[in-house]
Amino acid sequence: MTVVELKGLSKRYGSTVAADSMDLKVEEGEYMCILGPTGAGKTTALKMVAGLIDPDSGQILFDGKDYTKVEPESREAAMLSQVYSLFPHMDVNGNVIYGPRIRGWDVQESQDIVDNMLEMVHLNRRKDAFPCELSGGMQQRTALARALASGSKVILLDEPLRALDARLRIELRREIRSLVKAMGITAIHVTHDQEEAMVIADRVAVMRYGKVVQVGTPKEVFDTPVSPFVANFVGQSNFFTGKLVSNGDYSVVENDMGINVKARPCQLPIGSEVVVAIKVGNTQLRTEEGFLIGRVERILYEGVTIHVDVMANGKLFSAKLPNRKYEEFSPGDEVVVGWSADEATVFPMPEQGLEEELRLE
Amino acid sequence: MSLTKRIDDLSSRRDIRSGWFGIITFFFLAFIILPTVYVLIYGITDFQNLSDTVLDDPETMSLIWGAVFTSFSLALLVTIIDLIVGVPMAWIMVRKEFRGKKLLDTLIDMPLAFPTAALGFSIGIFWGLPIDAPVPPGALGIIASPYILIMLLHIIFTYPYMVRSLSAILEQIDQSYEEAGMTLGASRMTAARTITLPLFRAGLITGFILCFARSLSETGGTFIALITIGQADKFFTGPTLIAWFKRSTLAPEEVEAILAVVSIILIVTAIIFLLIIKFVLGRINVPFDKVWPRWERVLSRGMVPKAKDAISFVWLFAIVIIPSFFIFAYLLVPSPAEMDWSGLINALSFSFMVAGVVTLADIVLGVPMGLYIARHRDKKLAQIIDSLVNIPLIVPTTALGFSLALFWTSQDLVTNITFLVIMAHIAFTYPLVVRNVAGAVMEVDPSYEEAARTLGAKPFATFRTVLLPIVRSAVLAGAILAFTRSLGETGATVAVSSEANTVPVYIVNLMNSGDYYLAAVSAMVLIMVSFVFMFALRYTIRRDGGGY
């Protein structure tokens, strides 16, 4: 199987930077998710790996060999686009056998592979159907079967679940992962849905402005984000600014209202301007023993969880709590906002300000 | 190794791909665009000669300006009339369901299948007062003015272009806008006028330009209609002036100079005029906002809409269909005792050979060009080629033919008439194929081709197995259009050489020598041949349309 490596890839369209000296290494048989907001350059990166877009500079390596100038058909990297692109003039069988046929494999062998693939995606009964006769989910599975049957060593998935409804999305992402894993193929999957990325990937690469900001397992990216942007994009966070007062087993930050709060230790000099981020799910609301006193603004019942907005020290804090606490709060109540010190991350103040750092486009 | 396999492999190499594209671009620029406008270069380099022989001769110049003015005023008038009768007809075709709609659809396209040379004859004997052609029973013979006669002729073959362009756009405008307007209190007419018509502009411009260019360019039918009523040496449009001088007995150098001046004036004014149309129609602000609720309500109800539809139908039959088909009444005229078919057979085989070679060249060189334009819209070169492709469509074919012949012969490159005729026909049919293919490919999501490439298909294999099957009907439509246009073209052929013997030219020659019966038979044969191709076209498109 194949190790895919992107080295210093850059691509511009006029004044828009789609890839800015981007680096990423995807290991053999790994399922890598590229996660980022719209316009971060995820699809451009994927198409450069596929060979459909030429980078302005930088290299693409497959197993250490330079593939930058190799034509798409020789890369053995099949792409599955968000619109599936099933050939409208071919039936399901014709679509799935396209790869083996175009590569000139033995006819009987090809048909066996295709039958096997169709079995795996539960479409063996719809072999003769044309794409327009299939539901969205079936089209998606046909496209997946087509990509997997082509003998590719890498599969590139460009928002493959975007056009499906929520329930089907959850079902299919599990199916995609297990099929890809079963075949041992290296996968690069692009999405803007952080939840999808977390559950499907071995590792997640968070992208922004054409650069990879952080690469790590879902847990690493969620628990130890490298920047306020990652903290907010992967699982929503509460933020406030302040000054670093002391550093030790835990760090102490004085917020803009002069109140000291605790957070995880950091490497920053005492007295520097900092940003503190606490995941919404790690934010607690108590009656005593917390850091900031605030008032409940509104409560939303979300099913398993409830969402509570609290105004404290002129800042809005959100918290996700189990639904059994629904009765405990009502708007106007005074509450104390708290968190455990090792769940609050301290970042240096971003150069362009916090608001700019958190922007999604 | 099979041929397709070998091409597949070659297409995988970037250098081969750019080489092939280079060849195609070179062909397009050097053998289509340059010859088409070569006469302009000639005009600059040989200006002294032109000014001595033609420009300083007030008599010839007034003849030329008169003809050019006639051409432009005719084209403008015809286009405006088409617009007035075309809008209600397009409305009927898109927004109404009724029995026999398919038949009506076919009838509207009919004039496209009629070679204009045949139409000219038919119109001449139906409306006009023929000098010595035998007139079949049923002819009206009420139009003495050559201007009105030619106008009636041009209305027939431009009418389908207008109705088609308008209904193509109308189909894309969702009816829900109008319905929303009506639920907000607008009468049917107010809604159509204030909501749909402003969205119509693109179709208006396309229809306007197509009709105008076609009318400006037409030679064969106009010339034949004028011969029929004995006005060919008195009444001229720009193109017929070229055709007439080409046959005159003046000294060749003098003829060449005169034709060069006419061609230059036609080409330059046509391009300027069409740029103006595009600019003005695109920007003009018709006061659509004003509303007259009461009057428009009255006009939306009762007899008025019915009368409007009725007039559209009457127009279609009385002005377009019946006069076109009138030539078949010649079957009622007693035939001369002896007929010499050999001339017709020779002309037919020459016409078919030319049209065949032309169509093949158009496909081989035009399909890749259409593909390139559609898939590289962000590149400057593609945008430039995209605009250049339209030039041969706008330039009157007679001027084009003359310019092209001048290009090849003045350098003593080639003087073979068959070659020149083929090159001239390629020049004005090539854009039809490129436009059709580019338009169809733009509608196809490039992700199909991208998916095929990542699945292991080489570029040519991708084209063969994925793109071509999807756009097949557009390629076919372009090919058949090119074939029939080549078959029916008179102006470009005559301008290349008065000796090139295609069927339309053969018909003109027969008419000139008074052999009307054989001319009518030849015209009917040409119509039948074109019909076969048009029905083949409709059949393939309809079958493909319902496929997936």
Side-chain angles (χ1 to χ4, degrees):
Chain A
M1 296 290 117
T2 308
V3 181
V4 179
E5 213 174 332
L6 290 70
K7 266 192 177 166
L9 277 191
S10 294
K11 181 75 190 175
R12 285 172 162 281
Y13 295 105
S15 60
T16 325
V17 182
D20 181 11
S21 177
M22 179 181 171
D23 290 306
L24 183 66
K25 188 172 181 185
V26 186
E27 300 296 343
E28 216 173 284
E30 184 177 32
Y31 202 120
M32 171 69 80
C33 251
I34 298 183
L35 173 68
T38 314
K42 308 179 299 275
T43 301
T44 304
L46 202 68
K47 286 194 169 178
M48 288 195 287
V49 175
L52 297 169
I53 294 178
D54 286 333
D56 294 338
S57 61
Q59 277 186 311
I60 290 154
L61 308 178
F62 278 36
D63 283 335
K65 275 192 279 289
D66 187 356
Y67 263 50
T68 320
K69 294 259 179 265
V70 173
E71 294 287 315
E73 62 268 21
S74 311
R75 295 193 183 199
E76 304 192 311
M79 187 153 103
L80 204 163
S81 81
Q82 51 179 298
V83 292
Y84 316 137
S85 310
L86 294 174
F87 308 134
H89 56 295
M90 300 178 193
D91 58 14
V92 168
N93 193 65
N95 265 287
V96 180
I97 208 166
Y98 186 82
R101 177 166 76 93
I102 213 78
R103 289 210 159 104
W105 294 355
D106 177 74
V107 177
Q108 189 51 51
E109 229 172 89
S110 309
Q111 192 58 56
D112 291 344
I113 294 172
V114 169
D115 290 343
N116 200 8
M117 271 331 302
L118 287 178
E119 186 98 26
M120 283 162 82
V121 298
H122 321 297
L123 276 170
N124 36 343
R125 283 153 185 264
R126 300 303 306 269
K127 255 170 101 160
D128 304 325
F130 280 88
C132 60
E133 300 162 359
L134 299 175
S135 69
M138 289 182 192
Q139 291 185 19
Q140 215 285 332
R141 289 205 292 260
T142 309
L144 181 66
R146 183 175 71 177
L148 293 175
S150 67
S152 298
K153 299 188 175 105
V154 179
I155 184 168
L156 306 168
L157 305 111
D158 185 7
E159 308 233 9
L161 302 170
R162 185 176 207 166
L164 301 172
D165 64 70
R167 193 175 286 271
L168 200 56
R169 211 151 47 205
I170 291 172
E171 190 183 309
L172 273 175
R173 70 190 180 202
R174 206 174 300 143
E175 233 171 275
I176 292 179
R177 182 180 157 91
S178 66
L179 269 176
V180 169
K181 279 290 165 190
M183 299 188 66
I185 297 176
T186 307
I188 305 179
H189 177 136
V190 156
T191 180
H192 65 277
D193 179 345
Q194 58 98 10
E195 194 194 320
E196 182 178 309
M198 302 292 280
V199 298
I200 209 168
D202 294 325
R203 283 197 303 156
V204 176
V206 183
M207 252 191 105
R208 190 185 199 198
Y209 299 142
K211 269 187 193 308
V212 173
V213 193
Q214 185 174 10
V215 191
T217 63
K219 183 172 161 49
E220 283 166 359
V221 174
F222 188 87
D223 288 345
T224 50
V226 296
S227 69
F229 173 76
V230 178
N232 196 39
F233 195 69
V234 183
Q236 211 191 336
S237 290
N238 292 309
F239 292 95
F240 59 88
T241 52
K243 202 171 274 177
L244 188 65
V245 177
S246 73
N247 220 338
D249 289 344
Y250 51 83
S251 53
V252 175
V253 175
E254 180 190 321
N255 80 357
D256 297 343
M257 305 294 283
I259 296 168
N260 284 356
V261 301
K262 290 180 192 170
R264 211 182 281 173
C266 61
Q267 311 297 319
L268 300 167
I270 304 292
S272 56
E273 291 284 324
V274 294
V275 172
V276 180
I278 309 110
K279 285 266 147 60
V280 171
N282 292 334
T283 306
Q284 292 154 20
L285 302 178
R286 307 165 189 163
T287 43
E288 51 197 36
E289 200 194 330
F291 301 112
L292 310 166
I293 296 166
R295 250 174 226 294
V296 174
E297 293 264 306
R298 61 170 188 170
I299 310 150
L300 300 174
Y301 193 84
E302 291 178 330
V304 183
T305 54
I306 60 169
H307 179 107
V308 187
D309 283 336
V310 176
M311 188 60 86
N313 288 10
K315 283 232 175 301
L316 198 66
F317 284 80
S318 300
K320 285 238 184 291
L321 306 171
N323 63 6
R324 64 187 148 76
K325 301 214 169 185
Y326 186 61
E327 305 295 334
E328 292 177 22
F329 302 99
S330 51
D333 285 359
E334 191 167 277
V335 291
V336 184
V337 181
W339 54 84
S340 69
D342 59 348
E343 280 169 349
T345 318
V346 183
F347 299 106
M349 186 64 151
E351 274 167 42
Q352 58 302 42
L354 182 60
E355 204 170 315
E356 187 60 33
E357 166 75 12
L358 296 182
R359 249 174 43 154
L360 284 182
E361 300 168 36
Chain B
M1 203 168 18
S2 71
L3 181 65
T4 46
K5 181 85 170 53
R6 200 165 302 171
I7 300 177
D8 285 354
D9 287 347
L10 285 178
S11 72
S12 213
R13 289 175 46 187
R14 277 171 203 232
D15 50 342
I16 301 266
R17 286 210 297 270
S18 10
W20 168 236
F21 177 66
I23 292 172
I24 294 205
T25 314
F26 175 78
F27 177 86
F28 170 67
L29 293 176
F31 296 149
I32 292 182
I33 293 300
L34 180 61
T36 300
V37 296
Y38 176 76
V39 71
L40 302 180
I41 299 167
Y42 174 86
I44 295 164
T45 53
D46 279 36
F47 185 75
Q48 198 51 50
N49 174 29
L50 291 187
S51 102
D52 288 348
T53 43
V54 189
L55 299 179
D56 294 344
D57 176 358
E59 211 171 304
T60 315
M61 280 316 286
S62 83
L63 188 64
I64 292 174
W65 281 119
V68 170
F69 178 76
T70 306
S71 275
F72 274 87
S73 68
L74 252 176
L76 193 61
L77 194 62
V78 163
T79 308
I80 289 172
I81 293 175
D82 277 333
L83 196 63
I84 294 169
V85 296
V87 171
M89 194 38 124
W91 221 277
I92 293 173
M93 290 310 297
V94 175
R95 293 284 160 88
K96 295 222 161 108
E97 285 305 328
F98 50 91
R99 267 182 35 202
K101 186 171 167 179
K102 274 213 173 108
L103 180 69
L104 187 66
D105 195 52
T106 311
L107 282 178
I108 289 174
D109 277 348
M110 273 302 173
L112 292 181
F114 274 74
T116 51
L119 270 184
F121 194 7
S122 199
I123 299 312
I125 52 173
F126 181 72
W127 292 112
L129 305 164
I131 35 165
D132 53 5
V135 178
L140 295 182
I142 48 170
I143 307 286
S145 149
Y147 191 92
I148 294 178
L149 187 72
I150 300 307
M151 189 187 80
L152 284 167
L153 168 66
H154 286 208
I155 284 173
I156 293 178
F157 61 76
T158 51
Y159 178 82
Y161 288 104
M162 183 60 87
V163 177
R164 285 283 165 242
S165 322
L166 293 179
S167 47
I169 294 290
L170 192 56
E171 238 157 54
Q172 286 171 17
I173 301 175
D174 199 323
Q175 207 170 347
S176 63
Y177 296 130
E178 238 174 88
E179 281 163 3
M182 280 159 70
T183 63
L184 295 172
S187 66
R188 192 171 280 280
M189 185 186 171
T190 314
R193 192 176 56 80
T194 55
I195 298 165
T196 307
L197 269 187
L199 296 170
F200 226 41
R201 196 167 279 182
L204 273 173
I205 296 174
T206 319
F208 206 100
I209 290 178
L210 277 176
C211 289
F212 193 86
R214 193 80 178 92
S215 165
L216 198 61
S217 183
E218 213 292 316
T219 319
T222 314
F223 202 44
I224 286 178
L226 290 173
I227 294 174
T228 316
I229 58 166
Q231 296 278 342
D233 51 354
K234 300 184 194 80
F235 182 88
F236 296 103
T237 65
T240 64
L241 191 66
I242 295 181
W244 189 70
F245 269 115
K246 197 79 189 180
R247 294 156 173 277
S248 74
T249 48
L250 294 170
E253 304 82 53
E254 202 179 331
V255 171
E256 185 178 291
I258 293 172
L259 295 192
V261 172
V262 183
S263 299
I264 291 170
I265 293 176
L266 274 179
I267 292 176
V268 172
T269 42
I271 291 176
I272 292 174
F273 202 84
L274 287 158
L275 285 178
I276 292 174
I277 288 176
K278 206 163 175 169
F279 186 79
V280 172
L281 279 189
R283 256 150 254 249
I284 203 165
N285 260 327
V286 188
F288 279 119
D289 293 343
K290 201 155 165 67
V291 171
W292 300 271
R294 180 173 313 160
W295 290 111
E296 290 185 338
R297 196 153 307 224
V298 169
L299 288 176
S300 301
R301 284 184 189 152
M303 291 307 290
V304 179
K306 288 206 181 94
K308 182 196 72 190
D309 291 352
I311 292 171
S312 300
F313 280 106
V314 169
W315 182 273
L316 174 65
F317 283 97
I319 304 292
V320 179
I321 300 296
I322 294 174
S324 306
F325 276 96
F326 189 69
I327 192 167
F328 285 95
Y330 247 86
L331 295 172
L332 303 174
V333 173
S335 62
E338 259 182 54
M339 292 224 301
D340 181 12
W341 294 98
S342 62
L344 176 60
I345 292 168
N346 280 342
L348 260 179
S349 55
F350 184 68
S351 270
F352 268 90
M353 190 275 290
V354 169
V357 172
V358 164
T359 309
L360 202 66
D362 283 343
I363 289 178
V364 173
L365 301 162
V367 173
M369 191 55 104
L371 215 62
Y372 178 79
I373 290 176
R375 283 291 177 252
H376 297 84
R377 264 179 297 175
D378 50 330
K379 291 222 177 93
K380 262 265 141 15
L381 180 61
Q383 288 162 2
I384 293 171
I385 292 177
D386 195 19
S387 335
L388 286 181
V389 160
N390 294 326
I391 289 181
L393 282 183
I394 296 168
V395 170
T397 50
T398 320
L400 185 154
F402 174 74
S403 176
L404 185 129
L406 198 64
F407 169 78
W408 288 101
T409 51
S410 70
Q411 312 296 323
D412 269 329
L413 294 170
V414 186
T415 50
N416 180 299
I417 289 172
T418 308
F419 174 82
L420 293 183
V421 170
I422 288 175
M423 291 311 285
H425 283 216
I426 288 177
F428 69 81
T429 53
Y430 184 82
L432 299 174
V433 174
V434 174
R435 278 269 140 269
N436 259 291
V437 173
V441 173
M442 276 180 209
E443 300 286 310
V444 179
D445 189 333
S447 74
Y448 289 121
E449 293 142 81
E450 291 177 353
R453 292 292 300 280
T454 68
L455 292 170
K458 301 194 161 101
F460 186 67
T462 306
F463 171 71
R464 246 184 336 111
T465 57
V466 176
L467 192 57
L468 189 59
I470 298 177
V471 301
R472 192 183 52 173
S473 64
V475 175
L476 259 175
I480 294 178
L481 265 179
F483 192 89
T484 45
R485 272 298 295 277
S486 165
L487 215 53
E489 175 64 25
T490 319
T493 322
V494 175
V496 165
S497 157
S498 47
E499 283 151 47
N501 191 24
T502 62
V503 180
V505 176
Y506 177 66
I507 296 174
V508 174
N509 290 340
L510 287 175
M511 305 270 305
N512 265 332
S513 60
D515 218 341
Y516 293 104
Y517 192 84
L518 191 52
V521 172
S522 306
M524 283 185 257
V525 170
L526 196 54
I527 292 172
M528 299 311 272
V529 171
S530 301
F531 264 31
V532 170
F533 279 99
M534 199 184 89
F535 281 109
L537 171 68
R538 296 181 70 89
Y539 177 72
T540 46
I541 289 177
R542 199 169 294 168
R543 205 188 44 186
D544 268 24
Y548 19 84

